[in-house]
Structure formats: C-alpha cells, structure tokens
Amino acid sequence: MIAHVQEWLELATRWFHVVVGVAWIGTSFYFNWLNNNVREMEVPEDGVKGDLWSVHGGAFYRVVKYQVAPAKLPKTLHWFKYEAYFTWISGVTLLALVYYLGADGFLVDAAVSDLSKGAAVGIGIGALVGGWVFYDQLCKSPLRHRPLILGALGFTVACAAAYGLCQVFSARAAYIHIGAILGTCMAGNVFFVIIPGQRKMVAAMIQGEAPDPEPGRAGSLRSLHNNYLTLPVLFVMVSSHYPMTYGHGWNWAILAGIALVGALVRHWFNLHGLGRMNQWLLPAAALGFLGLAFVTRPISVTDEGPPVSFSKEIHPIIHQRCTPCHAEKPTFEGIVGPQGGVLLETPTQMQGQAANILKNAVHSQYMPLGNLTKMTAEERALLGRWIHAGAPIE
C-alpha cells in the first residue's frame, strides 16, 4: 500500500510539475518574443523604447515597452513569478520522491560506484546548492560585462559537472540532476535577482524617485540566461525515454552536445525575432543533432557461436533478470505494477518485446535498472545473439 500511495503521489507531483512548467516556459517564450519584436514607434513617446501590435482570438493588442518605467504606475500590475517558483518546488519534490526515496533503484548504480544511499543523496543536494552558488557568484563577477566569456565558462563547468555526476550516479539520475541544477539556477534568477530588482524599481516609483536601472540590467542578464537554458532543460525532462543518450558510454558528452544544439536553435530564434537572419545556425544545429545520432548508433551484434536455446538460456535470463519488475505482480520490493507497462512473463511476451530488450538491455545496457538483478555481459551477449537470429522460441 505504501508503494501504491507513493506512485500516485509521484503521478500528482509530475502532472503538477508539467502544468506549471508549461506556464513558466510559455510566459518566458512570450516575453522573449516580445523583447525581440518590439520596434521603435512611428511617433516617439517620452520614456518609451518601442511598441508592438498583435492580434489573437479576434482581438487587437498593443504592448508598450518603456526605457525604464512609466511615469506613473497603474492600479494593477501583473507579476510573473509563481510559475517559476512552483515549477522548481514540484521538480525538487519529484526528485526526492523518485530518486532519493528510491535511491537503490534510481540513484545508485552498483556498476558505477559503491555509494551509500545517504552519501548519494548528500551529493545530489550538494550539487543543487553548489551549482547555484557558483553560478550566482559568476554572474556577480566582472565577467558579467563579458557575456560570451561568462557563457563559455558556465557551459564548461556544466560539462564538468555532468561528467562528475555520471561517475557517481546512475546515468539517468546524473542527467536529471544536471537538469535540476540548471532549473535551480533559472528559478534562483527569478527569486533572488529578477523579482527583487523589479520590486526595487516599483518601490522607487511609489516614493516618487527615479528607478535605478542597474537592477534592471542584472535582471535582463539573468533573463537572457534563462532563455538559453530552456531548451536544454526541456530535453532533460524527456531524456528518461531515450536510453541511447544517458546509457551511452559518453553520456555526459552526449548531454553537452544536445544542450549546445538547443542553445543554437534558441539563438537562431532570438536573432530572427530581432530581424537578423543567420543562415548557418539551424544547419549547424541539425548537423550536430545528426552527428549525435551517429555517435549513439547501436553496437553491432554478432551471431558468431552456436545457436542460442530460448528454453535453456534465454528464458532463464529474462525470468531472473527482467521479470521481477515486468510482471502483473512484480516480486521486486517497492514495485507495484509492470514497469513501463511491459510484461515479460510468458515466452510470447518475451518474444514480442525483443526489440525493447535489444535497445535497453543489449545496446544501451541500461536495463535492468541500476543492474539490481545483476545481469552479466555474457547474458547480454546471449540476448543479442538470440534477437539477431530472429528471437525464435521453441
């Protein structure tokens, strides 16, 4: 019953996380689009940088962007912050429910390191806190005036963090923690920099003083970073469905490559919104994506050796290593239903899942999860030969 309740709690948290995440990303994309598409007014107005006209849902809208702030505040001023806060809170809650409470199966991989559950959780939490502290101090350093150098250094450190976490966590957990670090930096930007800066500007206006533009500049820098981090974080959110990325031997580099592709695509959209066309960014991103697909191509499976017997060799392997989690009534502790909806109890089911077994247990070798059932390299090779021969069952 406890495991069942936990699964429903995970479901509710994940659903909420996706909903508020869509709201946050949607508003972020919209305001970045606004910033990129605001143009100088035909009839200039004092203190106004530009405006934008749009039509949606049968109505016309006009948006005005001020150089700093209007001369007088309106009665109602909308703030966009809770989307970011609730996305981070729900994401960290989900991280704790899945990876920290289920550390044995999802966080710790005995084939990678012999960390205890407590040590692994401590490293995970430390990575989140340390990642934000380092990033925040970097943005406050003189490098804030050199955005390209700051971005390159930040990317390099993120790659190093990905490599380090892949040496101590399961590959899937390492990916999720990199996403959580980036998400923490994004939410921290909103909570510690962007919103406080806006509050200072509003407070100054209420007191009849001219707002200090410096908080606005700092918030603009952090907002720009959030813009470029969005697509890499979105990939991490869906990465668990694609073991050919995190299950690869160069998993940390694959993650870095995909993040770079996402940043290039985001940069193209930013330039396009400003009316500056760039002809090489999207082709470069596409070539990079194809290159990553080539690097992660499946390893060849040899059919050398005597014929593999399903009943004597394959069935015992799958029954011992896979069925404990892929059964109507799983025997593995904490599992209440067949993982991923995949059943591996009967010969017909095993044969029908041959392609998934090849992808997850032979090519990426990510299954069994954390190799909790101790599948050996010899057993994986036998599975590959059996599937390569057409997955026959006697």
Side-chain angles (χ1 to χ4, degrees), residues 2-338:
I2 294 177
H4 180 70
V5 171
Q6 182 175 336
E7 277 202 328
W8 275 94
L9 185 58
E10 289 177 11
L11 186 153
T13 306
R14 191 181 302 275
W15 194 357
F16 182 77
H17 181 59
V18 170
V19 170
V20 292
V22 168
W24 183 17
I25 292 169
T27 55
S28 175
F29 276 14
Y30 177 65
F31 277 103
N32 277 289
W33 180 85
L34 282 181
N35 284 329
N36 290 335
N37 286 275
V38 166
R39 298 293 183 264
E40 292 185 4
M41 301 172 60
E42 295 181 2
V43 180
E45 295 181 14
D46 290 339
V48 175
K49 185 174 184 179
D51 68 349
L52 177 146
W53 284 86
S54 59
V55 59
H56 179 75
F60 290 89
Y61 300 85
R62 183 194 179 210
V63 178
V64 175
K65 181 178 180 180
Y66 291 87
Q67 293 283 2
V68 178
K72 182 180 179 181
L73 285 176
K75 292 182 179 180
T76 302
L77 184 63
H78 296 281
W79 297 76
F80 293 86
K81 54 182 179 178
Y82 291 111
E83 300 91 340
Y85 300 163
F86 286 127
T87 298
W88 184 83
I89 291 170
S90 59
V92 170
T93 301
L94 193 61
L95 179 70
L97 287 172
V98 176
Y99 289 91
Y100 295 166
L101 291 183
D104 285 335
F106 291 95
L107 184 61
V108 178
D109 187 344
V112 176
S113 67
D114 57 353
L115 284 176
S116 66
K117 291 171 56 176
V121 171
I123 291 174
I125 296 174
L128 298 185
V129 176
W132 161 252
V133 171
F134 175 83
Y135 165 75
D136 184 52
Q137 293 302 310
L138 188 64
C139 289
K140 293 176 180 178
S141 72
L143 286 178
R144 69 183 183 276
H145 302 300
R146 308 288 295 275
L148 289 179
I149 297 177
L150 189 151
L153 179 58
F155 178 74
T156 302
V157 173
C159 290
Y163 174 81
L165 291 176
C166 283
Q167 310 310 307
V168 295
F169 290 162
S170 71
R172 184 174 165 184
Y175 267 41
I176 291 297
H177 274 80
I178 290 298
I181 292 171
L182 298 181
T184 297
C185 292
M186 293 173 69
N189 283 340
V190 176
F191 185 80
F192 292 108
V193 180
I194 297 174
I195 294 299
Q198 291 175 345
R199 289 192 182 281
K200 290 179 181 178
M201 296 173 71
V202 170
M205 293 188 63
I206 292 175
Q207 296 174 6
E209 302 173 356
D212 180 5
E214 185 56 33
R217 295 192 189 100
S220 179
L221 177 65
R222 304 298 183 105
S223 181
L224 180 66
H225 292 170
N226 283 6
N227 179 7
Y228 283 97
L229 290 175
T230 301
L231 294 186
V233 170
L234 282 176
F235 163 72
V236 173
M237 289 178 65
V238 301
S239 65
S240 60
H241 297 285
Y242 303 99
M244 74 279 194
T245 58
Y246 58 79
H248 194 272
W250 288 84
N251 44 23
W252 67 273
I254 301 301
L255 176 58
I258 291 179
L260 188 58
V261 166
L264 287 176
V265 172
R266 185 68 256 179
H267 189 52
W268 183 88
F269 276 103
N270 289 338
L271 293 178
H272 182 267
L274 294 171
R276 296 162 54 190
M277 299 301 296
N278 188 293
Q279 298 180 348
W280 66 268
L281 280 175
L282 286 185
L287 286 175
F289 196 79
L290 292 174
L292 292 171
F294 177 78
V295 170
T296 59
R297 67 193 185 281
I299 59 175
S300 59
V301 178
T302 178
D303 56 359
E304 296 180 357
V308 179
S309 169
F310 174 80
S311 59
K312 294 181 180 179
E313 297 174 287
I314 300 303
H315 187 276
I317 292 174
I318 297 178
H319 181 73
Q320 182 180 6
R321 310 302 188 190
C322 308
T323 305
C325 293
H326 295 283
E328 286 286 358
K329 296 182 178 180
T331 58
F332 200 90
E333 184 180 356
I335 305 296
V336 297

